Amino acid sequence: MIDKEFAAHFAADWVEAWNNHDRERVLAHYADDFEMSSPVIVQIAGEPSGTLKGKEAVGAYWAKALDLIPDLRFELLTTLVGVNSITLYYKGVQGRLAAEVFHFGPDGKVAKAFAHYAP
């Protein structure tokens, strides 16, 4: 079960790491074999399924994204807490609304993540 303190710490650190473009710090929140699904993966990584697996693949995708969007900043709007998941609702690139759902494994690391973007 995820508590409010864990969720608040995760959200603050995740957003700060992204805003500092600290890819390694972001990746530290994830299990080695985690899966990431996002429509942006199709565009940037060229993966038609929209899903990547593992820190190496996702880290490479994020590195490319940070190169393409050097002024990337996130503004956290709210954090939603589930049983073994957290959803971060935030403003992303050019103020576009986004929500990311993070499913956690028993080790407290993200096992699966799903990104959603407003049209």
Side-chain angles (χ1 to χ4, degrees):
M1 206 61 159
I2 292 179
D3 62 32
K4 291 179 188 179
E5 287 180 38
F6 177 88
H9 175 71
F10 174 85
D13 196 69
W14 188 86
V15 169
E16 184 178 309
W18 272 110
N19 287 346
N20 288 322
H21 295 198
D22 187 342
R23 189 174 57 98
E24 292 306 316
R25 185 171 160 198
V26 175
L27 282 168
H29 291 283
Y30 298 82
D32 289 339
D33 62 346
F34 84 100
E35 286 186 19
M36 173 77 197
S37 296
S38 169
V40 180
I41 287 173
V42 177
Q43 299 165 323
I44 292 178
E47 172 53 51
S49 71
T51 299
L52 295 172
K53 186 169 184 171
K55 283 188 176 182
E56 186 175 331
V58 178
Y61 153 64
W62 286 341
K64 189 173 181 182
L66 288 169
D67 285 344
L68 292 170
I69 311 165
D71 60 343
L72 179 76
R73 282 200 59 75
F74 296 152
E75 177 190 340
L76 183 64
L77 300 174
T78 195
T79 303
L80 307 172
V81 180
V83 174
N84 289 314
S85 62
I86 295 171
T87 299
L88 300 184
Y89 184 54
Y90 61 93
K91 288 183 184 177
V93 177
Q94 297 177 337
R96 186 176 179 196
L97 294 175
E100 289 202 39
V101 181
F102 304 90
H103 291 268
F104 292 82
D107 60 356
K109 299 286 186 181
V110 177
K112 290 187 178 186
F114 304 89
H116 304 79
Y117 304 98

PDB file of all heavy atoms in Angstrom, residues 33-67:
ATOM      1  N   ASP A  33      14.054  -3.660 -14.991  1.00  0.00           N
ATOM      2  CA  ASP A  33      13.306  -4.210 -16.128  1.00  0.00           C
ATOM      3  C   ASP A  33      11.922  -3.578 -16.298  1.00  0.00           C
ATOM      4  O   ASP A  33      11.009  -4.181 -16.859  1.00  0.00           O
ATOM      5  CB  ASP A  33      13.169  -5.724 -15.980  1.00  0.00           C
ATOM      6  CG  ASP A  33      12.383  -6.129 -14.736  1.00  0.00           C
ATOM      7  OD1 ASP A  33      12.166  -5.265 -13.850  1.00  0.00           O
ATOM      8  OD2 ASP A  33      11.995  -7.299 -14.653  1.00  0.00           O
ATOM      9  N   PHE A  34      11.746  -2.334 -15.826  1.00  0.00           N
ATOM     10  CA  PHE A  34      10.435  -1.701 -15.907  1.00  0.00           C
ATOM     11  C   PHE A  34       9.997  -1.485 -17.352  1.00  0.00           C
ATOM     12  O   PHE A  34      10.814  -1.460 -18.273  1.00  0.00           O
ATOM     13  CB  PHE A  34      10.418  -0.387 -15.116  1.00  0.00           C
ATOM     14  CG  PHE A  34      10.946   0.822 -15.849  1.00  0.00           C
ATOM     15  CD1 PHE A  34      10.087   1.727 -16.433  1.00  0.00           C
ATOM     16  CD2 PHE A  34      12.309   1.054 -15.923  1.00  0.00           C
ATOM     17  CE1 PHE A  34      10.567   2.845 -17.094  1.00  0.00           C
ATOM     18  CE2 PHE A  34      12.796   2.169 -16.572  1.00  0.00           C
ATOM     19  CZ  PHE A  34      11.930   3.059 -17.168  1.00  0.00           C
ATOM     20  N   GLU A  35       8.686  -1.335 -17.520  1.00  0.00           N
ATOM     21  CA  GLU A  35       8.103  -1.049 -18.831  1.00  0.00           C
ATOM     22  C   GLU A  35       7.517   0.350 -18.824  1.00  0.00           C
ATOM     23  O   GLU A  35       6.877   0.751 -17.850  1.00  0.00           O
ATOM     24  CB  GLU A  35       6.982  -2.036 -19.161  1.00  0.00           C
ATOM     25  CG  GLU A  35       7.461  -3.400 -19.525  1.00  0.00           C
ATOM     26  CD  GLU A  35       6.323  -4.302 -19.990  1.00  0.00           C
ATOM     27  OE1 GLU A  35       5.237  -3.799 -20.363  1.00  0.00           O
ATOM     28  OE2 GLU A  35       6.518  -5.522 -19.965  1.00  0.00           O
ATOM     29  N   MET A  36       7.713   1.053 -19.915  1.00  0.00           N
ATOM     30  CA  MET A  36       7.189   2.411 -20.084  1.00  0.00           C
ATOM     31  C   MET A  36       6.355   2.429 -21.356  1.00  0.00           C
ATOM     32  O   MET A  36       6.834   2.003 -22.415  1.00  0.00           O
ATOM     33  CB  MET A  36       8.356   3.397 -20.194  1.00  0.00           C
ATOM     34  CG  MET A  36       7.977   4.808 -20.524  1.00  0.00           C
ATOM     35  SD  MET A  36       7.324   5.629 -19.068  1.00  0.00           S
ATOM     36  CE  MET A  36       6.516   7.028 -19.810  1.00  0.00           C
ATOM     37  N   SER A  37       5.125   2.923 -21.255  1.00  0.00           N
ATOM     38  CA  SER A  37       4.253   3.070 -22.422  1.00  0.00           C
ATOM     39  C   SER A  37       3.864   4.531 -22.560  1.00  0.00           C
ATOM     40  O   SER A  37       3.463   5.169 -21.580  1.00  0.00           O
ATOM     41  CB  SER A  37       2.989   2.216 -22.270  1.00  0.00           C
ATOM     42  OG  SER A  37       3.314   0.854 -22.237  1.00  0.00           O
ATOM     43  N   SER A  38       3.997   5.052 -23.778  1.00  0.00           N
ATOM     44  CA  SER A  38       3.682   6.449 -24.049  1.00  0.00           C
ATOM     45  C   SER A  38       3.500   6.638 -25.553  1.00  0.00           C
ATOM     46  O   SER A  38       4.264   6.075 -26.337  1.00  0.00           O
ATOM     47  CB  SER A  38       4.827   7.353 -23.569  1.00  0.00           C
ATOM     48  OG  SER A  38       4.676   8.669 -24.037  1.00  0.00           O
ATOM     49  N   PRO A  39       2.536   7.458 -25.949  1.00  0.00           N
ATOM     50  CA  PRO A  39       2.411   7.758 -27.371  1.00  0.00           C
ATOM     51  C   PRO A  39       3.632   8.503 -27.918  1.00  0.00           C
ATOM     52  O   PRO A  39       3.923   8.440 -29.115  1.00  0.00           O
ATOM     53  CB  PRO A  39       1.144   8.603 -27.469  1.00  0.00           C
ATOM     54  CG  PRO A  39       0.822   9.031 -26.085  1.00  0.00           C
ATOM     55  CD  PRO A  39       1.489   8.091 -25.147  1.00  0.00           C
ATOM     56  N   VAL A  40       4.372   9.168 -27.050  1.00  0.00           N
ATOM     57  CA  VAL A  40       5.561   9.905 -27.492  1.00  0.00           C
ATOM     58  C   VAL A  40       6.694   8.941 -27.854  1.00  0.00           C
ATOM     59  O   VAL A  40       7.547   9.262 -28.676  1.00  0.00           O
ATOM     60  CB  VAL A  40       5.991  10.937 -26.419  1.00  0.00           C
ATOM     61  CG1 VAL A  40       7.223  11.708 -26.851  1.00  0.00           C
ATOM     62  CG2 VAL A  40       4.847  11.892 -26.124  1.00  0.00           C
ATOM     63  N   ILE A  41       6.682   7.739 -27.286  1.00  0.00           N
ATOM     64  CA  ILE A  41       7.680   6.723 -27.647  1.00  0.00           C
ATOM     65  C   ILE A  41       7.595   6.419 -29.141  1.00  0.00           C
ATOM     66  O   ILE A  41       8.616   6.245 -29.805  1.00  0.00           O
ATOM     67  CB  ILE A  41       7.489   5.444 -26.800  1.00  0.00           C
ATOM     68  CG1 ILE A  41       7.955   5.711 -25.367  1.00  0.00           C
ATOM     69  CG2 ILE A  41       8.230   4.256 -27.410  1.00  0.00           C
ATOM     70  CD1 ILE A  41       7.655   4.585 -24.385  1.00  0.00           C
ATOM     71  N   VAL A  42       6.393   6.394 -29.666  1.00  0.00           N
ATOM     72  CA  VAL A  42       6.209   6.141 -31.106  1.00  0.00           C
ATOM     73  C   VAL A  42       6.922   7.220 -31.906  1.00  0.00           C
ATOM     74  O   VAL A  42       7.658   6.922 -32.853  1.00  0.00           O
ATOM     75  CB  VAL A  42       4.705   6.093 -31.468  1.00  0.00           C
ATOM     76  CG1 VAL A  42       4.518   5.912 -32.967  1.00  0.00           C
ATOM     77  CG2 VAL A  42       3.990   4.993 -30.697  1.00  0.00           C
ATOM     78  N   GLN A  43       6.745   8.479 -31.515  1.00  0.00           N
ATOM     79  CA  GLN A  43       7.331   9.610 -32.252  1.00  0.00           C
ATOM     80  C   GLN A  43       8.843   9.688 -32.096  1.00  0.00           C
ATOM     81  O   GLN A  43       9.563   9.853 -33.076  1.00  0.00           O
ATOM     82  CB  GLN A  43       6.717  10.933 -31.773  1.00  0.00           C
ATOM     83  CG  GLN A  43       5.235  11.039 -31.966  1.00  0.00           C
ATOM     84  CD  GLN A  43       4.636  12.189 -31.164  1.00  0.00           C
ATOM     85  OE1 GLN A  43       5.048  12.492 -30.049  1.00  0.00           O
ATOM     86  NE2 GLN A  43       3.635  12.828 -31.751  1.00  0.00           N
ATOM     87  N   ILE A  44       9.329   9.618 -30.870  1.00  0.00           N
ATOM     88  CA  ILE A  44      10.748   9.879 -30.613  1.00  0.00           C
ATOM     89  C   ILE A  44      11.616   8.636 -30.780  1.00  0.00           C
ATOM     90  O   ILE A  44      12.697   8.700 -31.360  1.00  0.00           O
ATOM     91  CB  ILE A  44      10.938  10.499 -29.209  1.00  0.00           C
ATOM     92  CG1 ILE A  44      10.322  11.902 -29.210  1.00  0.00           C
ATOM     93  CG2 ILE A  44      12.412  10.557 -28.825  1.00  0.00           C
ATOM     94  CD1 ILE A  44      10.393  12.623 -27.884  1.00  0.00           C
ATOM     95  N   ALA A  45      11.145   7.494 -30.266  1.00  0.00           N
ATOM     96  CA  ALA A  45      11.954   6.274 -30.327  1.00  0.00           C
ATOM     97  C   ALA A  45      11.654   5.443 -31.570  1.00  0.00           C
ATOM     98  O   ALA A  45      12.392   4.515 -31.877  1.00  0.00           O
ATOM     99  CB  ALA A  45      11.741   5.434 -29.072  1.00  0.00           C
ATOM    100  N   GLY A  46      10.565   5.765 -32.243  1.00  0.00           N
ATOM    101  CA  GLY A  46      10.206   5.013 -33.446  1.00  0.00           C
ATOM    102  C   GLY A  46       9.718   3.607 -33.151  1.00  0.00           C
ATOM    103  O   GLY A  46       9.709   2.756 -34.037  1.00  0.00           O
ATOM    104  N   GLU A  47       9.270   3.365 -31.932  1.00  0.00           N
ATOM    105  CA  GLU A  47       8.754   2.049 -31.545  1.00  0.00           C
ATOM    106  C   GLU A  47       7.241   2.042 -31.742  1.00  0.00           C
ATOM    107  O   GLU A  47       6.516   2.712 -31.009  1.00  0.00           O
ATOM    108  CB  GLU A  47       9.108   1.737 -30.086  1.00  0.00           C
ATOM    109  CG  GLU A  47       8.456   0.493 -29.516  1.00  0.00           C
ATOM    110  CD  GLU A  47       8.669  -0.750 -30.361  1.00  0.00           C
ATOM    111  OE1 GLU A  47       9.833  -1.047 -30.704  1.00  0.00           O
ATOM    112  OE2 GLU A  47       7.675  -1.425 -30.679  1.00  0.00           O
ATOM    113  N   PRO A  48       6.739   1.305 -32.754  1.00  0.00           N
ATOM    114  CA  PRO A  48       5.322   1.361 -33.084  1.00  0.00           C
ATOM    115  C   PRO A  48       4.375   0.911 -31.969  1.00  0.00           C
ATOM    116  O   PRO A  48       3.230   1.361 -31.914  1.00  0.00           O
ATOM    117  CB  PRO A  48       5.175   0.440 -34.301  1.00  0.00           C
ATOM    118  CG  PRO A  48       6.511  -0.119 -34.594  1.00  0.00           C
ATOM    119  CD  PRO A  48       7.503   0.441 -33.635  1.00  0.00           C
ATOM    120  N   SER A  49       4.835   0.061 -31.063  1.00  0.00           N
ATOM    121  CA  SER A  49       3.974  -0.403 -29.971  1.00  0.00           C
ATOM    122  C   SER A  49       3.766   0.673 -28.915  1.00  0.00           C
ATOM    123  O   SER A  49       2.833   0.598 -28.122  1.00  0.00           O
ATOM    124  CB  SER A  49       4.577  -1.644 -29.313  1.00  0.00           C
ATOM    125  OG  SER A  49       5.742  -1.299 -28.575  1.00  0.00           O
ATOM    126  N   GLY A  50       4.649   1.669 -28.871  1.00  0.00           N
ATOM    127  CA  GLY A  50       4.572   2.709 -27.846  1.00  0.00           C
ATOM    128  C   GLY A  50       5.079   2.258 -26.497  1.00  0.00           C
ATOM    129  O   GLY A  50       4.925   2.962 -25.504  1.00  0.00           O
ATOM    130  N   THR A  51       5.718   1.083 -26.438  1.00  0.00           N
ATOM    131  CA  THR A  51       6.211   0.533 -25.173  1.00  0.00           C
ATOM    132  C   THR A  51       7.676   0.157 -25.284  1.00  0.00           C
ATOM    133  O   THR A  51       8.094  -0.450 -26.269  1.00  0.00           O
ATOM    134  CB  THR A  51       5.392  -0.709 -24.771  1.00  0.00           C
ATOM    135  OG1 THR A  51       4.021  -0.319 -24.601  1.00  0.00           O
ATOM    136  CG2 THR A  51       5.888  -1.313 -23.462  1.00  0.00           C
ATOM    137  N   LEU A  52       8.443   0.535 -24.267  1.00  0.00           N
ATOM    138  CA  LEU A  52       9.852   0.147 -24.158  1.00  0.00           C
ATOM    139  C   LEU A  52      10.042  -0.584 -22.840  1.00  0.00           C
ATOM    140  O   LEU A  52       9.319  -0.330 -21.874  1.00  0.00           O
ATOM    141  CB  LEU A  52      10.758   1.383 -24.190  1.00  0.00           C
ATOM    142  CG  LEU A  52      10.763   2.188 -25.480  1.00  0.00           C
ATOM    143  CD1 LEU A  52      11.554   3.484 -25.291  1.00  0.00           C
ATOM    144  CD2 LEU A  52      11.334   1.377 -26.628  1.00  0.00           C
ATOM    145  N   LYS A  53      11.029  -1.469 -22.785  1.00  0.00           N
ATOM    146  CA  LYS A  53      11.289  -2.229 -21.569  1.00  0.00           C
ATOM    147  C   LYS A  53      12.751  -2.104 -21.175  1.00  0.00           C
ATOM    148  O   LYS A  53      13.639  -2.262 -22.010  1.00  0.00           O
ATOM    149  CB  LYS A  53      10.934  -3.700 -21.756  1.00  0.00           C
ATOM    150  CG  LYS A  53      11.047  -4.491 -20.462  1.00  0.00           C
ATOM    151  CD  LYS A  53      10.451  -5.868 -20.572  1.00  0.00           C
ATOM    152  CE  LYS A  53      10.524  -6.534 -19.214  1.00  0.00           C
ATOM    153  NZ  LYS A  53       9.797  -7.767 -19.152  1.00  0.00           N
ATOM    154  N   GLY A  54      12.969  -1.813 -19.895  1.00  0.00           N
ATOM    155  CA  GLY A  54      14.309  -1.768 -19.333  1.00  0.00           C
ATOM    156  C   GLY A  54      14.900  -0.374 -19.297  1.00  0.00           C
ATOM    157  O   GLY A  54      14.582   0.488 -20.111  1.00  0.00           O
ATOM    158  N   LYS A  55      15.781  -0.169 -18.311  1.00  0.00           N
ATOM    159  CA  LYS A  55      16.398   1.140 -18.114  1.00  0.00           C
ATOM    160  C   LYS A  55      17.230   1.580 -19.312  1.00  0.00           C
ATOM    161  O   LYS A  55      17.267   2.759 -19.637  1.00  0.00           O
ATOM    162  CB  LYS A  55      17.272   1.135 -16.855  1.00  0.00           C
ATOM    163  CG  LYS A  55      16.486   1.224 -15.578  1.00  0.00           C
ATOM    164  CD  LYS A  55      17.405   1.406 -14.379  1.00  0.00           C
ATOM    165  CE  LYS A  55      16.611   1.595 -13.109  1.00  0.00           C
ATOM    166  NZ  LYS A  55      17.470   1.808 -11.944  1.00  0.00           N
ATOM    167  N   GLU A  56      17.909   0.650 -19.966  1.00  0.00           N
ATOM    168  CA  GLU A  56      18.746   1.032 -21.103  1.00  0.00           C
ATOM    169  C   GLU A  56      17.901   1.608 -22.235  1.00  0.00           C
ATOM    170  O   GLU A  56      18.198   2.683 -22.758  1.00  0.00           O
ATOM    171  CB  GLU A  56      19.546  -0.170 -21.604  1.00  0.00           C
ATOM    172  CG  GLU A  56      20.539   0.202 -22.685  1.00  0.00           C
ATOM    173  CD  GLU A  56      21.418  -0.973 -23.107  1.00  0.00           C
ATOM    174  OE1 GLU A  56      21.668  -1.876 -22.283  1.00  0.00           O
ATOM    175  OE2 GLU A  56      21.846  -0.957 -24.269  1.00  0.00           O
ATOM    176  N   ALA A  57      16.835   0.926 -22.607  1.00  0.00           N
ATOM    177  CA  ALA A  57      15.982   1.386 -23.708  1.00  0.00           C
ATOM    178  C   ALA A  57      15.261   2.680 -23.361  1.00  0.00           C
ATOM    179  O   ALA A  57      15.228   3.625 -24.155  1.00  0.00           O
ATOM    180  CB  ALA A  57      14.984   0.298 -24.087  1.00  0.00           C
ATOM    181  N   VAL A  58      14.676   2.730 -22.168  1.00  0.00           N
ATOM    182  CA  VAL A  58      13.939   3.930 -21.773  1.00  0.00           C
ATOM    183  C   VAL A  58      14.898   5.096 -21.540  1.00  0.00           C
ATOM    184  O   VAL A  58      14.612   6.236 -21.924  1.00  0.00           O
ATOM    185  CB  VAL A  58      13.061   3.669 -20.535  1.00  0.00           C
ATOM    186  CG1 VAL A  58      12.338   4.937 -20.108  1.00  0.00           C
ATOM    187  CG2 VAL A  58      12.046   2.567 -20.817  1.00  0.00           C
ATOM    188  N   GLY A  59      16.049   4.815 -20.957  1.00  0.00           N
ATOM    189  CA  GLY A  59      17.045   5.867 -20.740  1.00  0.00           C
ATOM    190  C   GLY A  59      17.504   6.488 -22.047  1.00  0.00           C
ATOM    191  O   GLY A  59      17.670   7.712 -22.141  1.00  0.00           O
ATOM    192  N   ALA A  60      17.687   5.676 -23.070  1.00  0.00           N
ATOM    193  CA  ALA A  60      18.080   6.195 -24.386  1.00  0.00           C
ATOM    194  C   ALA A  60      16.964   7.059 -24.980  1.00  0.00           C
ATOM    195  O   ALA A  60      17.227   8.124 -25.560  1.00  0.00           O
ATOM    196  CB  ALA A  60      18.429   5.043 -25.320  1.00  0.00           C
ATOM    197  N   TYR A  61      15.736   6.624 -24.823  1.00  0.00           N
ATOM    198  CA  TYR A  61      14.579   7.399 -25.296  1.00  0.00           C
ATOM    199  C   TYR A  61      14.512   8.742 -24.577  1.00  0.00           C
ATOM    200  O   TYR A  61      14.326   9.798 -25.193  1.00  0.00           O
ATOM    201  CB  TYR A  61      13.314   6.565 -25.094  1.00  0.00           C
ATOM    202  CG  TYR A  61      12.031   7.327 -24.909  1.00  0.00           C
ATOM    203  CD1 TYR A  61      11.510   8.137 -25.917  1.00  0.00           C
ATOM    204  CD2 TYR A  61      11.307   7.225 -23.724  1.00  0.00           C
ATOM    205  CE1 TYR A  61      10.319   8.823 -25.749  1.00  0.00           C
ATOM    206  CE2 TYR A  61      10.117   7.903 -23.541  1.00  0.00           C
ATOM    207  CZ  TYR A  61       9.623   8.699 -24.561  1.00  0.00           C
ATOM    208  OH  TYR A  61       8.445   9.379 -24.386  1.00  0.00           O
ATOM    209  N   TRP A  62      14.680   8.722 -23.246  1.00  0.00           N
ATOM    210  CA  TRP A  62      14.635   9.972 -22.490  1.00  0.00           C
ATOM    211  C   TRP A  62      15.790  10.891 -22.857  1.00  0.00           C
ATOM    212  O   TRP A  62      15.628  12.109 -22.907  1.00  0.00           O
ATOM    213  CB  TRP A  62      14.610   9.700 -21.003  1.00  0.00           C
ATOM    214  CG  TRP A  62      13.282   9.186 -20.507  1.00  0.00           C
ATOM    215  CD1 TRP A  62      12.067   9.291 -21.139  1.00  0.00           C
ATOM    216  CD2 TRP A  62      13.022   8.501 -19.295  1.00  0.00           C
ATOM    217  NE1 TRP A  62      11.090   8.704 -20.393  1.00  0.00           N
ATOM    218  CE2 TRP A  62      11.632   8.218 -19.243  1.00  0.00           C
ATOM    219  CE3 TRP A  62      13.831   8.104 -18.234  1.00  0.00           C
ATOM    220  CZ2 TRP A  62      11.051   7.552 -18.182  1.00  0.00           C
ATOM    221  CZ3 TRP A  62      13.248   7.439 -17.169  1.00  0.00           C
ATOM    222  CH2 TRP A  62      11.869   7.170 -17.143  1.00  0.00           C
ATOM    223  N   ALA A  63      16.964  10.349 -23.108  1.00  0.00           N
ATOM    224  CA  ALA A  63      18.108  11.174 -23.513  1.00  0.00           C
ATOM    225  C   ALA A  63      17.793  11.886 -24.829  1.00  0.00           C
ATOM    226  O   ALA A  63      18.066  13.083 -24.985  1.00  0.00           O
ATOM    227  CB  ALA A  63      19.363  10.311 -23.647  1.00  0.00           C
ATOM    228  N   LYS A  64      17.219  11.160 -25.762  1.00  0.00           N
ATOM    229  CA  LYS A  64      16.854  11.751 -27.054  1.00  0.00           C
ATOM    230  C   LYS A  64      15.780  12.828 -26.870  1.00  0.00           C
ATOM    231  O   LYS A  64      15.858  13.901 -27.468  1.00  0.00           O
ATOM    232  CB  LYS A  64      16.364  10.664 -28.006  1.00  0.00           C
ATOM    233  CG  LYS A  64      16.180  11.131 -29.420  1.00  0.00           C
ATOM    234  CD  LYS A  64      15.865   9.952 -30.345  1.00  0.00           C
ATOM    235  CE  LYS A  64      15.695  10.424 -31.766  1.00  0.00           C
ATOM    236  NZ  LYS A  64      15.342   9.313 -32.670  1.00  0.00           N
ATOM    237  N   ALA A  65      14.801  12.549 -26.010  1.00  0.00           N
ATOM    238  CA  ALA A  65      13.742  13.519 -25.748  1.00  0.00           C
ATOM    239  C   ALA A  65      14.302  14.802 -25.139  1.00  0.00           C
ATOM    240  O   ALA A  65      13.918  15.908 -25.527  1.00  0.00           O
ATOM    241  CB  ALA A  65      12.686  12.912 -24.834  1.00  0.00           C
ATOM    242  N   LEU A  66      15.229  14.660 -24.187  1.00  0.00           N
ATOM    243  CA  LEU A  66      15.832  15.841 -23.568  1.00  0.00           C
ATOM    244  C   LEU A  66      16.664  16.641 -24.568  1.00  0.00           C
ATOM    245  O   LEU A  66      16.709  17.870 -24.481  1.00  0.00           O
ATOM    246  CB  LEU A  66      16.678  15.437 -22.356  1.00  0.00           C
ATOM    247  CG  LEU A  66      15.878  14.996 -21.130  1.00  0.00           C
ATOM    248  CD1 LEU A  66      16.792  14.363 -20.089  1.00  0.00           C
ATOM    249  CD2 LEU A  66      15.109  16.167 -20.535  1.00  0.00           C
ATOM    250  N   ASP A  67      17.303  15.966 -25.512  1.00  0.00           N
ATOM    251  CA  ASP A  67      18.035  16.668 -26.567  1.00  0.00           C
ATOM    252  C   ASP A  67      17.084  17.446 -27.467  1.00  0.00           C
ATOM    253  O   ASP A  67      17.384  18.568 -27.880  1.00  0.00           O
ATOM    254  CB  ASP A  67      18.852  15.692 -27.415  1.00  0.00           C
ATOM    255  CG  ASP A  67      20.095  15.191 -26.701  1.00  0.00           C
ATOM    256  OD1 ASP A  67      20.504  15.813 -25.682  1.00  0.00           O
ATOM    257  OD2 ASP A  67      20.651  14.171 -27.143  1.00  0.00           O
TER     258      ASP A  67
END
